[in-house]
């Protein structure tokens, strides 16, 4: 998608989120949004970041003022950071995105965690998995995998605040193993044609990065992006805990 089309999609989304106010991305804002396109930030990821800004503004009360696009910058780049770590890619180019992402160095340098505590993470995971079961949208092996995970996490939540050292490390590793089990069950429960469609969508998201990746790296990224889309489709939480 070229920069003009990308900006038009941003404008349309902002109009919808701003009670029909006409929004134009122009001047420095256009250069910034065009920079998102040049970096290869998938449109869906950019919109997710913009929604973070809008939701935070809306939580303060109703507003009739249109949202200034530049207020979305940090949220968009944070959403992009989370997406690219999940699928295993870096930035696809330069461009006027304002702040540079640290894609090239993040794989080598540890990130300081600023997310929820382990207990808060478990509370969120249990709530989301319970909602999945209650929706009736899962069945068979996936339903059993979710039920098994809920049984295990139910007992662990109360003890999680006391996990230290090796016990904490082992528990975090166990969370990742549970996530792998749930996603394996999710894949098995998804019809092949639906998986193929998700794979095509993943390829489109990664198109800006393909020229910079080896065939093996690209294949792994498409697989990771496909599983991320499947997770979103089924509304499954990420059970793993990022330290």
């Amino acid at each position: 998608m070229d920069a003009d089309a990308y900006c038009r999609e941003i404008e349309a989304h902002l109009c919808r989120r701003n009670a029909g106010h006409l929004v134009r991305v122009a001047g420095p804002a256009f250069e910034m949004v065009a920079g998102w396109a040049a970096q290869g930030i998938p449109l869906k990821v950019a919109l997710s970041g913009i929604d973070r800004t809008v939701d935070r503004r809306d939580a303060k009360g109703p507003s009739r003022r249109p949202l200034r696009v530049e207020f979305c910058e940090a949220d968009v780049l944070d959403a992009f950071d989370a997406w690219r770590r999940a699928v295993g890619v870096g930035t696809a180019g330069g461009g006027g995105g304002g702040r540079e992402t640290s894609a090239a160095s993040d794989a080598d340098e540890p990130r300081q965690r600023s997310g929820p505590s382990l207990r808060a993470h478990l509370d969120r995971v249990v709530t989301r998995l319970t909602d999945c079961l209650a929706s009736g949208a899962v069945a068979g092996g996936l339903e059993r995998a979710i039920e098994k995970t809920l049984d295990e996490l139910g007992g662990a939540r109360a003890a999680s605040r006391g996990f230290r050292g090796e016990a904490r490390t082992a528990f975090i590793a166990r969370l990742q193993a549970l996530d792998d089990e749930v996603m394996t069950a999710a894949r098995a429960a998804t019809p092949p044609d639906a998986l193929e469609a998700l794979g095509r969508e993943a390829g489109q998201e990664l198109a800006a990065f393909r020229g910079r990746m080896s065939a093996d790296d690209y294949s792994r990224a498409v697989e990771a992006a496909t599983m991320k889309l499947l997770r979103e489709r089924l509304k499954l939480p990420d059970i793993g805990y990022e330290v």
Side-chain angles (χ1 to χ4, degrees), residues 20-242:
H21 284 294
L22 182 64
V23 177
R24 284 288 177 262
V25 179
F30 179 88
E31 296 300 322
M32 183 184 67
V33 175
W36 298 346
Q39 284 180 277
I41 299 179
L43 180 63
K44 181 175 66 175
V45 174
L47 297 183
S48 173
I50 288 172
D51 283 343
R52 294 185 189 184
T53 300
V54 179
D55 290 343
R56 191 162 53 246
R57 184 199 66 174
D58 290 349
K60 298 177 182 178
S63 172
R64 295 187 59 82
R65 296 181 61 189
L67 179 72
R68 291 176 63 86
V69 177
E70 48 264 48
F71 292 166
C72 306
E73 175 70 344
D75 285 321
V76 169
L77 295 180
D78 285 346
F80 178 46
D81 281 347
W83 174 82
R84 64 170 184 74
R85 287 198 303 273
V87 302
V89 299
T91 56
R99 184 189 78 183
E100 283 191 18
T101 63
S102 52
S105 60
D106 275 358
D108 301 316
E109 297 181 8
R111 295 174 61 91
Q112 182 176 357
R113 182 171 180 82
S114 59
S117 67
L118 180 56
R119 176 56 189 268
H121 172 74
L122 293 177
D123 288 344
R124 175 180 174 276
V125 167
V126 168
T127 298
R128 292 276 303 276
L129 289 177
T130 301
D131 288 345
C132 284
L133 289 181
S135 71
V138 298
L142 178 55
E143 182 178 27
R144 290 190 294 273
I146 292 175
E147 289 173 342
K148 172 180 175 292
T149 299
L150 283 172
D151 286 343
E152 186 166 338
L153 295 184
R157 287 164 76 192
S160 63
R161 286 197 179 99
F163 289 152
R164 298 289 186 276
E166 291 183 1
R168 179 182 172 86
T169 300
F171 180 67
I172 290 173
R174 179 57 184 157
L175 290 179
Q176 186 57 57
L178 287 171
D179 189 70
D180 292 342
E181 291 172 11
V182 168
M183 292 310 298
T184 296
R187 173 189 275 280
T190 304
D193 58 340
L195 278 177
E196 289 177 6
L198 292 176
R200 289 192 295 272
E201 184 177 347
Q204 292 171 358
E205 287 187 351
L206 290 162
F209 303 90
R210 186 167 190 172
R212 300 184 50 177
M213 304 172 73
S214 69
D216 287 344
D217 286 344
Y218 178 73
S219 178
R220 283 192 291 269
V222 169
E223 171 65 15
T226 300
M227 289 298 97
K228 189 175 188 304
L229 291 169
L230 179 60
R231 188 190 299 276
E232 293 169 358
R233 173 181 172 177
L234 296 174
K235 296 182 171 58
L236 292 169
D238 188 344
I239 301 170
Y241 184 72
E242 183 181 345

